[in-house]
Amino acid sequence: QKEVEQNSGPLSVPEGAIASLNCTYSDRVSQSFFWYRQYSGKSPELIMSIYSNGDKEDGRFTAQLNKASQYVSLLIRDSQPSDSATYLCAVPFASRDDKIIFGKGTRLHILP
Amino acid sequence: NAGVTQTPKFRILKIGQSMTLQCTQDMNHNYMYWYRQDPGMGLKLIYYSVGAGITDKGEVPNGYNVSRSTTEDFPLRLELAAPSQTSVYFCASSYAVNEQYFGPGTRLTVT
């Protein structure tokens, strides 16, 4: 299993719909999880952090964490064309001296 | 706060030349990182530092060197540039193992 795995996409979602982005990770003891957004030609930008099982909401974004299943997801409600970007999942790995491992990202395309 | 700044934004090097990519952060973060990102690919960790005077290798350190003499600065040195080092380089910083904040990147071409 890859350390942090994401579907590369592209994921195409109609404007106004919910976009669902998924990430699985292999380190069972990871305690913190991050989602970054990266527009083409730009640097990654932190959009969500989650540390506890369950949901965390911030505006149109909801992060969901299930440590037992080693799964973290990002939901984007009322998707806008400006949400079109690559979304990176990042997880610190205790087995790698707590270095943060980034997934390769999911490309999201919001269809106007 | 400026956050994480990087210079230069763009650079073209000839094979065999050397250069230093500059990175500065004003958030008093102890951790700093250098990544490279090839077109359409993920981030690869080159080097990182957990504090002034302490550096360690990441996944792809060959052909690069770093130093960390102050909390704020973490320069990346390329010696004997090769075409395989053509990439976008991002510097990032964080407070311990926590959210990382990225600089705008340096786009490097080696020809």
Side-chain angles (χ1 to χ4, degrees):
Chain A
Q1 181 188 2
K2 290 181 184 174
E3 290 174 311
V4 178
E5 196 155 5
Q6 298 181 254
N7 188 321
S8 62
L11 175 65
S12 295
V13 173
E15 184 175 355
I18 296 174
S20 178
L21 304 161
N22 303 318
C23 172
T24 57
Y25 58 94
S26 60
D27 189 337
R28 293 184 174 277
V29 301
S30 293
Q31 295 296 316
S32 49
F33 307 86
F34 309 106
W35 282 101
Y36 289 81
R37 177 177 61 200
Q38 187 175 24
Y39 292 116
S40 181
K42 301 295 187 182
S43 58
E45 173 194 13
L46 179 71
I47 54 171
M48 288 287 281
S49 308
I50 187 165
Y51 304 94
S52 307
N53 275 332
D55 294 1
K56 178 182 176 185
E57 190 174 313
D58 184 0
R60 294 186 298 111
F61 297 97
T62 299
Q64 298 177 319
L65 175 60
N66 183 327
K67 290 184 182 178
S69 300
Q70 294 172 242
Y71 176 96
V72 57
S73 64
L74 179 71
L75 302 179
I76 307 175
R77 289 184 301 282
D78 188 24
S79 296
Q80 302 296 309
S82 59
D83 295 325
S84 296
T86 296
Y87 289 80
L88 307 173
C89 173
V91 183
F93 268 52
S95 57
R96 299 275 293 269
D97 295 327
D98 285 331
K99 280 199 285 293
I100 289 184
I101 307 299
F102 284 84
K104 292 195 180 341
T106 298
R107 281 184 297 140
L108 175 64
H109 180 50
I110 305 301
L111 303 169
Chain B
N1 284 356
V4 180
T5 57
Q6 292 183 238
T7 57
K9 286 188 170 55
F10 303 93
R11 183 72 186 267
I12 298 174
L13 279 183
K14 293 191 187 305
I15 295 171
Q17 287 185 321
S18 300
M19 75 165 294
T20 299
L21 281 65
Q22 301 291 346
C23 175
T24 300
Q25 53 93 9
D26 63 0
M27 297 174 282
N28 203 31
H29 286 164
N30 49 346
Y31 282 45
M32 295 187 75
Y33 312 82
W34 275 106
Y35 294 91
R36 60 176 287 173
Q37 188 175 39
D38 299 332
M41 304 296 284
L43 295 165
K44 292 183 181 176
L45 182 64
I46 305 171
Y47 271 96
Y48 67 103
S49 168
V50 301
I54 306 169
T55 62
D56 208 347
K57 295 177 180 179
E59 298 172 74
V60 290
N62 290 347
Y64 307 95
N65 274 301
V66 293
S67 59
R68 183 98 181 269
S69 56
T70 67
T71 298
E72 294 80 17
D73 300 304
F74 191 39
L76 177 72
R77 177 85 177 158
L78 277 72
E79 305 281 2
L80 298 175
S84 61
Q85 293 177 305
T86 293
S87 191
V88 180
Y89 291 83
F90 292 109
C91 178
S93 71
S94 66
Y95 179 69
V97 182
N98 220 317
E99 297 98 341
Q100 293 186 15
Y101 295 88
F102 285 79
T106 294
R107 193 172 298 271
L108 176 67
T109 302
V110 182
T111 61

